[in-house]
Amino acid sequence: MGDVPSNTGHWEHFAHGADIGVRGFGASKAEAFEQAALALMNVIVDTARVAAQERIAIACAAPDDELLLTDWLNALIYEMAERNMLFARFAVRIHGTSLTALAYGEPVDRERHHPAVEVKGATYTELSVRSEGAGWLAQTVVDV
Amino acid sequence: MDLNLLQRRSDYEWEIPQHGAMRVPAVIYASEQLMRDMDHKVYEQTVNVATLPGIVRASYAMPDAHWGYGFPIGGVAAFDPEQGGVVSAGGVGFDISCGVRCLRTGLRRADILQVQKELASALYARIPAGVGSTGTIRLNEHEMDQMLTGGAQWAVNRGWGTADDLERVEERGQMKHAKPGNVSPQAKKRQRDEMGTLGSGNHYLEVQEVTAVFDPKVAEVFGLALGDVVVMIHCGSRGLGHQIGTEFLRRMAIAASQFGISLPDRELACAPIASDVGEDYLGAMRAAINCALANRQILTHLVRRVFADLLPQARLPLLYDVSHNTCKVEEHRIDGGTRKLYVHRKGATRAFGPGHPDIPEPLRAVGQPVLIGGSMGTASYILAGTRESEALAFSSACHGAGRAMSRHQATKTWSGRRVVDELAARGILIRSPSMRGVAEEAPDAYKDVSAVVDAAEAVGLARKVARVDPLVCIKG
């Protein structure tokens, strides 16, 4: 895990009846997880407004890739609530079904960030982590 | 939804006959138009719920049902512990005990119009709302546990309300058998700064005017008349409930196979009621119910202080407080006998009919108030429970309008500023920290709440008492 997160890959949102889906694509599973985290953050805020000035370490382990993704996103949701922070960049490493990561962000500034909505939790709905073509996809629906 | 997949039992009742792994049939209550507009996922999820162990009679969906997590939003299911029944963290959801509280004010529309802008600004200034907002109440470990045990009763004992309020809250303001020790330190930490906060998303606080009375007799018992002003608060158990939902969803999803439970969808995560994880969840979930009741009680206190400053003649007695994301132990008539069931309501409101002993005495003869929140800028409804609702859906009714459009689509369709300006032109003042949040909650992103309550009334789940329309909306 380096201090400079990868900038390849991309993320998108997808529709869910009541809430919103987050989907990350990457050359590796770890990058897909980073991008899914960016998709999560962009549910809340335009991450271009968030400075990556503080660094938080996160670790989680799960029985399988899908639960690892929800654990990762839920760990971020918890850190955001607990620290009153927003994150804009991520560096993830995955070994088997364990994950270590750094999340970069800053405290919430309501005037500057205009956060739209808080996320209650990452669900198991439309949950999938899979290789796709030459890369990886990681997605789930988050409850807002 | 493809109506060919269902058997129509009446104008408003649609049955999915038992098939495959279903243990009971599924029943959806809705008009034909609501059914046609309903997502097919509601069909799948209602069927999936019918496969869970110990389910009694049927898996139900209310007229506002839409695609949820595991259970549909608007889902109702009861489980019998004597029949291997389960409790499901997915069946309650992340926002445990999210609900609606309605305060009467004794004021009339004209009173509000004189100070409408000041009132909107004062409520927005005093009610913490939106991402990053914090309350002024900090609880130490001991106080947190007291709150999780005492609910609204704890809040009233702290001076945030009166004993009269408690009579008008489900469970008399305190959910029994809560186990604060089952709530993780993380969940408690997440709640540390969030007592007395509104949250965001579809949570709101509105000042509303009674614009129609459908049942004058019941309205009189409820203390409502045309032109009266009420305050409605929609929010839940905040970060504590979200964290409990997250943790037990995971624990139950992993444990299910140990109990021989085959989950058609991981989100249906559940465990036998008579199991360690089932009992742990029930104790924690009940603590979260108390957190929601305490939170709405504190918000009530904040609202009363704002009104005391601007409209000192107002008294704000509580009409009622209902939760719509819960699992509660209730007695119901099944096959001529009475059974104790664990009734899950996920985006559905309990709706006890006239005479039920859990209804406060002054309201008992007419049925429990059922509070149906509309979307921002549209009507909300006050209904009353019916006797027939017990046989229809374990005394349950709808809870709101239900989304018709995704948040994603809503932000593409509307700008928040335009929504605020258009509602202001109609005399409705919106205050929100986030214009994107307002766009996501635009009135037309939701189903027509009137069609939903009409269907609920037509089938007999509850009967309409009054409609209320917003004058001020504080949106998180």
Side-chain angles (χ1 to χ4, degrees):
Chain A
M1 169 171 47
D3 279 357
V4 181
S6 162
N7 59 4
T8 59
H10 62 284
W11 60 266
E12 65 187 22
H13 292 150
F14 62 93
H16 171 268
D19 294 288
I20 196 158
V22 297
R23 182 179 288 146
F25 299 92
S28 64
K29 199 192 300 176
E31 191 180 29
F33 274 46
E34 290 167 357
Q35 292 296 326
L38 265 178
L40 166 71
M41 291 301 150
N42 278 279
V43 169
I44 303 160
V45 66
D46 175 359
T47 50
R49 296 172 190 255
V50 180
Q53 63 191 31
E54 289 182 36
R55 194 174 75 173
I56 305 297
I58 290 173
C60 33
D64 57 51
D65 282 346
E66 275 82 20
L67 285 181
L68 189 66
L69 175 65
T70 53
D71 282 2
W72 158 236
L73 298 177
N74 279 322
L76 289 170
I77 291 165
Y78 175 76
E79 294 295 342
M80 276 191 288
E82 222 293 278
R83 297 171 189 270
N84 210 11
M85 281 183 73
L86 296 166
F87 300 111
R89 283 198 315 174
F90 307 93
V92 171
R93 272 192 175 179
I94 296 175
H95 299 286
T97 53
S98 296
L99 172 154
T100 53
L102 294 176
Y104 301 78
E106 65 171 327
V108 178
D109 179 335
R110 281 153 60 92
E111 295 302 310
R112 188 157 50 81
H113 293 136
H114 303 294
V117 69
E118 66 185 355
V119 175
K120 295 170 187 165
T123 76
Y124 301 157
T125 298
E126 302 289 300
L127 173 60
S128 182
V129 177
R130 59 179 187 263
S131 59
E132 211 171 71
W136 284 81
L137 172 153
Q139 69 168 42
T140 197
V141 169
V142 296
D143 188 1
V144 298
Chain B
M1 186 181 292
D2 179 359
L3 301 189
N4 295 318
L5 297 170
L6 300 99
Q7 292 181 3
R8 190 170 194 165
R9 298 291 183 212
S10 71
D11 284 352
Y12 293 90
E13 183 175 345
W14 308 75
E15 183 177 319
I16 305 167
Q18 190 177 339
H19 67 273
M22 291 170 79
R23 296 166 193 262
V24 291
V27 176
I28 304 175
Y29 296 112
S31 65
E32 184 169 337
Q33 190 57 50
L34 286 169
M35 289 297 292
R36 289 194 185 283
D37 293 344
M38 209 174 270
D39 197 310
H40 181 71
K41 292 281 184 184
V42 174
Y43 175 93
E44 286 175 16
Q45 294 188 323
T46 313
V47 166
N48 285 345
V49 171
T51 69
L52 295 178
I55 187 167
V56 176
R57 213 159 63 192
S59 159
Y60 296 103
M62 300 292 106
D64 52 338
H66 53 279
W67 182 18
Y69 313 111
F71 277 54
I73 312 292
V76 176
F79 298 87
D80 186 343
E82 305 291 322
Q83 307 289 324
V86 294
V87 58
S88 171
V92 173
F94 288 94
D95 201 359
I96 298 167
S97 202
C98 182
V100 183
R101 167 176 283 227
C102 182
L103 304 162
R104 297 186 292 121
T105 67
L107 299 169
R108 309 282 295 170
R109 175 190 172 85
D111 299 318
I112 299 298
L113 293 185
Q114 284 175 6
V115 293
Q116 190 181 10
K117 277 187 182 159
E118 295 91 326
L119 181 62
S121 299
L123 287 169
Y124 184 53
R126 299 275 278 277
I127 307 290
V131 182
S133 62
T134 55
T136 56
I137 298 161
R138 300 284 178 282
L139 303 182
N140 63 32
E141 211 173 304
H142 178 63
E143 290 169 325
M144 178 70 74
D145 285 356
Q146 285 186 319
M147 180 275 288
L148 294 175
T149 307
Q153 286 193 10
W154 167 85
V156 166
N157 290 340
R158 291 282 298 255
W160 299 312
T162 68
D164 291 344
D165 292 339
L166 300 175
E167 286 300 305
R168 299 299 186 105
V169 183
E170 285 181 314
E171 322 303 334
R172 302 289 191 274
Q174 181 193 33
M175 190 71 218
K176 299 280 193 294
H177 309 299
K179 300 270 174 53
N182 295 3
V183 178
S184 70
Q186 288 80 4
K188 291 175 183 176
K189 268 172 100 174
R190 202 165 155 182
Q191 190 60 25
R192 204 174 42 199
D193 298 332
E194 295 197 350
M195 291 311 299
T197 63
L198 193 60
S200 66
N202 63 357
H203 293 164
Y204 60 80
L205 184 152
E206 283 190 347
V207 180
Q208 304 164 332
E209 175 194 3
V210 178
T211 51
V213 170
F214 307 103
D215 187 331
K217 216 167 154 185
V218 178
E220 193 180 346
V221 175
F222 284 1
L224 299 170
L226 201 63
D228 279 358
V229 169
V230 299
V231 175
M232 226 180 249
I233 302 169
H234 177 216
C235 71
S237 51
R238 309 293 298 113
L240 181 129
H242 308 166
Q243 189 68 23
I244 291 171
T246 298
E247 291 169 3
F248 278 93
L249 194 67
R250 184 183 197 276
R251 203 172 145 193
M252 287 180 171
I254 292 170
S257 62
Q258 293 167 21
F259 299 114
I261 299 171
S262 164
L263 296 175
D265 173 353
R266 258 183 170 174
E267 194 75 32
L268 281 171
C270 61
I273 293 159
S275 67
D276 286 349
V277 61
E279 286 177 9
D280 284 356
Y281 175 68
L282 285 165
M285 188 263 305
R286 289 166 180 153
I289 290 177
N290 281 329
C291 181
L293 299 181
N295 195 46
R296 290 198 287 272
Q297 187 64 44
I298 294 168
L299 289 170
T300 297
H301 174 74
L302 298 176
V303 170
R304 284 173 173 157
R305 285 178 59 173
V306 170
F307 273 77
D309 288 347
L310 285 174
L311 294 154
Q313 73 274 33
R315 296 288 171 267
L316 279 78
L318 185 52
L319 170 57
Y320 209 61
D321 180 303
V322 291
S323 297
H324 47 232
N325 287 348
T326 59
C327 170
K328 290 190 172 175
V329 182
E330 296 169 9
E331 289 188 342
H332 287 283
R333 301 282 296 169
I334 306 288
D335 303 328
T338 300
R339 278 155 75 180
K340 197 172 270 189
L341 303 177
Y342 287 66
V343 183
H344 293 63
R345 296 187 180 86
K346 171 79 174 289
T349 310
R350 186 154 80 178
F352 285 145
H356 195 285
D358 285 357
I359 302 174
E361 200 279 327
L363 310 176
R364 195 170 296 156
V366 298
Q368 179 210 303
V370 177
L371 308 173
I372 307 299
S375 55
M376 179 179 61
T378 64
S380 296
Y381 284 83
I382 298 168
L383 285 70
T386 64
R387 284 201 177 86
E388 312 90 278
S389 184
E390 158 134 36
L392 290 168
F394 301 109
S395 299
S396 308
C398 50
H399 85 307
R403 285 195 82 90
M405 183 188 286
S406 71
R407 292 176 182 280
H408 192 59
Q409 189 59 39
T411 51
K412 282 184 175 174
T413 310
W414 297 287
S415 87
R417 173 47 55 194
R418 195 174 143 205
V419 171
V420 169
D421 290 346
E422 284 177 3
L423 290 172
R426 288 168 40 204
I428 303 166
L429 300 186
I430 308 292
R431 295 286 185 272
S432 174
S434 168
M435 284 304 110
R436 181 173 137 194
V438 168
E440 290 183 6
E441 295 293 324
D444 291 340
Y446 282 80
K447 293 178 195 170
D448 176 5
V449 67
S450 301
V452 167
V453 296
D454 284 349
E457 178 170 74
V459 78
L461 295 168
R463 66 185 187 285
K464 290 194 293 184
V465 177
R467 189 184 74 208
V468 290
D469 279 277
L471 295 167
V472 172
C473 176
I474 309 301
K475 197 81 193 161

